[in-house]
Amino acid sequence: MRHPEPGTIPETAAPEGVLLLHGIGRRAASLARMERAFQAQGYATLNLDYPARTAALVDLAARVAPTVAAFAARVARLHVVTHSMGGLVARALLTRHRPDNLGRVVMLAPPNGGSEVADRLHGMAAYRRFFGPAGAELTTRRDASLTALLGTVDYPLGVIAGDRTLYPVESWLMLPRPNDGRVSVHRTRVAGMSAHVTLHTTHGLMMWNGRVIGQALHFVRNGRFLVPDARTPEGCP
């Protein structure tokens, strides 16, 4: 058995890391319970606050990229867990600034295909004031530059959708069913994803839901969900 030289500290294996990206109108605290769950399993975490309401997706990705790169350099693999629009920030980040040690990605209720709520409201001054430039990019109609920014999903991605709502007006008058009050289940899907599961939870509270957290942990560890996977169908938005 080799012993370290006197005065030296033996090297230890770097932990795996998890980057957490919150949704629009949220803060890092919204993913605190998710973060604690990963920390309890030995993962290092980076739960970023970023100005989701004040910049476009391309600028948000560029703003977080240096911090993410520094964190990625300290961990064995970098996994990503996102909520809502954080999933689009992650896609933009991975298109332009992907770390070499990228692991698995889990997205909670991501508007991968946009949201009909944004379609209906993005032209209103109040919506644009509150949600800012990125809010206007959440529509179902995307130009070529945004499509290119979001890129191709060629990494292990598990998507968790919700089918319960606390927003009856949006759910009944704006969104196809099933939906979580902000995004329809159909529009959470994206071509190239590895697995998809729908749980009975709401958009705004799903990141605190124990079943959602358990599924996210299981996918990061194993590359699959605890329930049978729903593979990507043809015609994803």
Side-chain angles (χ1 to χ4, degrees):
M1 177 177 178
R2 294 185 60 188
H3 296 278
E5 295 294 326
T8 66
I9 300 174
E11 293 186 3
T12 57
E16 297 198 1
V18 177
L19 166 68
L20 299 110
L21 294 172
H22 60 79
I24 196 166
R26 300 277 181 169
R27 300 293 300 271
S30 67
L31 289 167
R33 186 178 181 191
M34 181 77 72
E35 180 180 25
R36 289 193 297 269
F38 276 97
Q39 289 174 342
Q41 296 299 313
Y43 293 91
T45 61
L46 176 63
N47 189 5
L48 278 181
D49 262 323
Y50 65 96
R53 294 169 48 209
T54 63
L57 290 170
V58 63
D59 298 318
L60 294 173
R63 184 171 300 200
V64 304
T67 304
V68 173
F71 179 67
R74 301 196 302 268
V75 298
R77 282 202 298 174
L78 179 70
H79 306 286
V80 185
V81 177
T82 71
H83 175 239
S84 193
M85 193 194 76
L88 302 189
V89 176
R91 287 177 61 184
L93 177 72
L94 297 180
T95 297
R96 296 200 169 187
H97 311 280
R98 184 185 306 195
D100 292 336
N101 60 341
L102 178 66
R104 297 179 176 124
V105 181
V106 177
M107 296 181 181
L108 316 182
N112 278 317
S115 171
E116 288 82 359
V117 174
D119 289 347
R120 294 281 290 271
L121 302 181
H122 80 279
M124 298 174 61
Y127 177 94
R128 298 182 79 91
R129 278 197 304 270
F130 185 82
F131 291 109
E137 296 176 305
L138 301 182
T139 63
T140 62
R141 298 178 292 275
R142 291 172 175 163
D143 61 24
S145 62
L146 181 55
T147 299
L149 175 67
L150 297 179
T152 300
V153 174
D154 56 359
Y155 40 84
L157 169 62
V159 174
I160 303 176
D163 64 1
R164 185 182 178 194
T165 180
L166 297 176
Y167 311 100
V169 174
E170 292 89 336
S171 291
W172 289 95
L173 299 181
M174 299 183 189
L175 290 166
R177 286 176 281 174
N179 63 73
D180 63 8
R182 290 290 182 259
V183 183
S184 70
V185 170
H186 173 64
R187 291 196 178 275
T188 64
R189 298 176 181 272
V190 62
M193 65 182 183
S194 307
H196 185 282
V197 65
T198 301
L199 301 178
H200 192 51
T201 185
T202 67
H203 189 90
L205 298 176
M206 66 188 308
M207 57 284 203
W208 297 92
N209 183 290
R211 288 188 65 205
V212 172
I213 293 171
Q215 294 282 7
L217 280 164
H218 197 270
F219 187 89
V220 166
R221 282 195 299 251
N222 303 292
R224 64 182 187 276
F225 290 126
L226 285 162
V227 298
D229 296 345
R231 296 291 173 175
T232 308
E234 294 182 3
C236 282

